[in-house]
Amino acid sequence: MHNNLIYLTDGRGKVDATKLSDIEWKQLVADNRDSTRRQLVKCAWCWDDDKVTHWMRTFCRNGGRVIAHQPNECADHPYQALESDEHKAYCDRVERVGESEGFESRREARASDGRTRSDVLLVGDLHLSYEMQHSPFKQGYGARERTRRSLAAKRDAVAWHTDSSIIATGASVAMLRSNQARLPQIENPRYELRILGGYRKVLAWKCTSREGHRCPLKRFAGCGSTHVDSQPTAITLDDFIRQAPAGLVVPVRPLERSGFWTTNRDYQIWVDHYGVGTRPSTDGTLRTWKEQQADGHSRHTAAKDHTPGPQQQAGGHRAVTDVPDELIDLQRSTREAQAKLAGLEGGAFDAQLKEWRTAAETFHEAVTAYAALERVSRSEVEQAAKNAARSLRQER
C-alpha cells in the first residue's frame, strides 16, 4: 500500500493505514467521503518532510485500500514504516549519550538538499549521522543510496545500527549489530547494549610459521610478507556514540557489505597497508573500490609527496603534547561522579546522574574553549586529558 502514513485530525494523530482493522478502514472511508474537503486525512510524508499540508482522498479499488492526493494518483509516496517505540527509544538513548559527552545533537536533522534526514545527527569533530534500522529496508530506499546522500550532504560518517541479524546480513553497507533488547532495557541507561557485529580490530603480522596465523596465499610455512586482517572485537553502543563524533572510531569501506568500524589507530594500520582506494581480495591481491575515496594511494606513497612538519597534523592543527591541570581535574571529577552511580536507585540515582551530566558538560565546554584558544584538535585535547587523568588514577 502506498501513502500508508497519514495524520488523522480526529485525535488519533499519525497512524499506519495498513494497520487499521477492516471496520476502522470502512469507517474512515465513510467519514472522509472520498473528498479532500473533509480535512480528515493529511499526508504524513508531505508534512514530515516539507511541513506542507496535503489532504488525502480515501477509497477502495479492486478490494484494496487507496489513499491519494489527487484523482488518478494512487502511488504518490512509497510505503514507509511507522516509527516503533523501540526505534524511538534507541534514538532517545543515542541523543542522551551524545549530549552527555558534550556533542550537539539534532533529531530528524535534514540536510540542505531537503531529502536527506538523520534519525540523530551528532556534531563533534565529525558530523555523525546515526540511523537505526528496526525494520527491513523498503525497495528504492536502500542503505547504500541513503548513505551516499548523507555523505554528499556534508555528513562525515553514517552509523547504521540494527538489533536484527537478518537486517544486518542483508545490508549493503557497514552495519553495527547489537544484541536484541526489550523496550525497558533500551530505556535503562545502566543496561549495556553490546555491539556484536560491524565493529572490528585490525591485526598486522609477519607471515611466518611462528605467528600462528594462516597464510592468505596458503603457504604452509608462511610467505614472509606482512599481512593485515580484521577480527570482531567488543564495544558497547554507548561507548561507540561517545567516540565516533570525536573521530576516535571511523568506518572502513562504509559503502560495502564487508565494511566495518574500527579505532582511528587501527584504521591507519589498514590504510598504511592497503591504501585508501583499494581493498583486499581473497587471493591476497588488491582491487579498486567501486567508490573511490581520497587520492587512491597508500599513506606511504602520500608521505613522500606531502610530508607534514613535526608539529603539524591534518587540518592545520599542531599536535597536543600537554594539557592544563584544570582539564585533568575536571575529567577526574567527571569520572568520580560517574563511579558514584554504582549501586544507586530511584531518586538517589537520578540526582547523581544529573551531577555526572553537569560535570561532563563542564569538562567538554572547557575542552572546547582550550582547543579553540590554542588552535589544536579538540579530540586530541579531550583524549590527552582523559589519558592524563587515567595515569594519575593508576599511580595512586
Side-chain angles (χ1 to χ4, degrees):
M1 177 184 185
H2 298 277
N3 302 324
N4 63 302
L5 292 190
I6 55 177
Y7 281 104
L8 299 179
T9 58
D10 59 3
R12 282 181 282 180
K14 188 177 182 178
V15 300
D16 186 344
T18 61
K19 304 296 178 61
L20 296 176
S21 66
D22 291 339
I23 296 177
E24 290 174 326
W25 171 255
K26 291 179 180 179
Q27 186 62 48
L28 177 63
V29 172
D31 293 341
N32 200 37
R33 297 181 185 176
D34 192 21
S35 172
T36 59
R37 298 178 183 177
R38 303 293 296 176
Q39 297 189 355
L40 173 62
V41 182
K42 181 169 68 171
C43 178
W45 186 293
C46 293
W47 178 254
D48 290 343
D49 277 7
D50 303 314
K51 298 302 179 185
V52 174
T53 298
H54 282 159
W55 300 109
M56 310 289 284
R57 301 166 58 244
T58 54
F59 55 95
C60 297
R61 174 181 294 169
N62 299 327
R65 303 177 182 184
V66 179
I67 302 177
H69 291 77
Q70 302 292 335
N72 300 322
E73 292 181 0
C74 304
D76 305 284
H77 303 305
Y79 177 90
Q80 185 182 26
L82 185 64
E83 184 181 71
S84 65
D85 291 338
E86 289 80 6
H87 183 283
K88 183 177 182 299
Y90 275 115
C91 294
D92 288 342
R93 181 166 184 148
V94 168
E95 183 180 24
R96 181 178 66 249
V97 172
E99 290 182 347
S100 69
E101 285 296 305
F103 304 127
E104 178 187 351
S105 67
R106 307 172 195 165
R107 287 291 288 272
E108 295 294 328
R110 185 185 304 178
S112 58
D113 60 3
R115 301 164 59 195
T116 305
R117 291 189 302 171
S118 304
D119 286 341
V120 182
L121 179 65
L122 297 172
V123 181
D125 283 4
L126 302 179
H127 284 59
L128 178 74
S129 176
Y130 171 82
E131 300 283 354
M132 175 61 199
Q133 192 66 24
H134 207 254
S135 58
F137 291 102
K138 299 302 175 183
Q139 187 175 5
Y141 287 83
R144 185 187 291 263
E145 179 60 28
R146 289 164 61 182
T147 301
R148 282 199 186 99
R149 290 182 181 179
S150 287
L151 295 177
K154 307 304 181 184
R155 309 281 166 82
D156 295 301
V158 181
W160 285 96
H161 171 222
T162 185
D163 58 5
S164 168
S165 59
I166 296 176
I167 296 175
T169 302
S172 56
V173 295
M175 174 77 73
L176 298 169
R177 181 174 68 85
S178 65
N179 54 306
Q180 286 192 339
R182 298 186 300 272
L183 183 61
Q185 294 171 322
I186 302 172
E187 294 175 335
N188 183 358
R190 288 178 287 179
Y191 181 80
E192 286 192 347
L193 293 167
R194 308 290 296 180
I195 298 298
L196 306 178
Y199 183 79
R200 306 174 71 87
K201 65 179 179 180
V202 175
L203 303 175
W205 73 93
K206 187 76 171 180
C207 189
T208 65
S209 58
R210 299 177 181 178
E211 291 294 330
H213 294 280
R214 180 175 297 178
C215 177
L217 301 180
K218 300 181 180 180
R219 303 281 180 84
F220 180 76
C223 63
S225 302
T226 298
H227 297 300
V228 172
D229 201 354
S230 65
Q231 68 179 33
T233 187
I235 193 175
T236 65
L237 176 62
D238 291 359
D239 284 340
F240 175 85
I241 295 302
R242 294 185 182 104
Q243 298 178 42
L248 301 180
V249 294
V250 291
V252 176
R253 305 198 305 267
L255 289 172
E256 294 191 23
R257 187 188 302 274
S258 57
F260 59 92
W261 287 77
T262 190
T263 65
N264 199 2
R265 173 182 173 276
D266 283 2
Y267 176 78
Q268 300 299 338
I269 296 175
W270 184 275
V271 171
D272 282 342
H273 188 79
Y274 290 119
V276 178
T278 53
R279 64 187 177 108
S281 60
T282 54
D283 59 0
T285 61
L286 296 178
R287 53 184 177 180
T288 305
W289 288 9
K290 293 181 180 178
E291 295 80 26
Q292 287 290 336
Q293 300 180 19
D295 298 322
H297 53 239
S298 70
R299 296 180 65 85
H300 291 306
T301 304
K304 297 178 181 179
D305 301 324
H306 309 285
T307 304
Q311 298 297 321
Q312 295 294 321
Q313 293 184 346
H317 295 304
R318 61 183 177 83
V320 177
T321 57
D322 197 7
V323 291
D325 293 339
E326 177 187 359
L327 294 182
I328 300 175
D329 293 339
L330 290 175
Q331 172 60 12
R332 288 174 54 195
S333 300
T334 301
R335 291 308 178 196
E336 290 172 359
Q338 180 184 12
K340 293 179 181 178
L341 288 171
L344 299 180
E345 295 181 356
F349 176 83
D350 294 337
Q352 187 59 38
L353 180 63
K354 183 177 180 180
E355 180 179 339
W356 174 34
R357 289 178 176 175
T358 301
E361 290 174 0
T362 303
F363 168 70
H364 284 287
E365 288 175 358
V367 168
T368 302
Y370 177 79
L373 179 64
E374 298 294 328
R375 295 183 59 80
V376 293
S377 169
R378 184 199 178 283
S379 62
E380 291 195 10
V381 172
E382 178 182 348
Q383 195 61 40
K386 290 182 177 180
N387 291 339
R390 190 180 301 112
S391 299
L392 290 176
R393 186 170 64 250
Q394 292 174 352
E395 291 174 0
R396 294 184 177 183

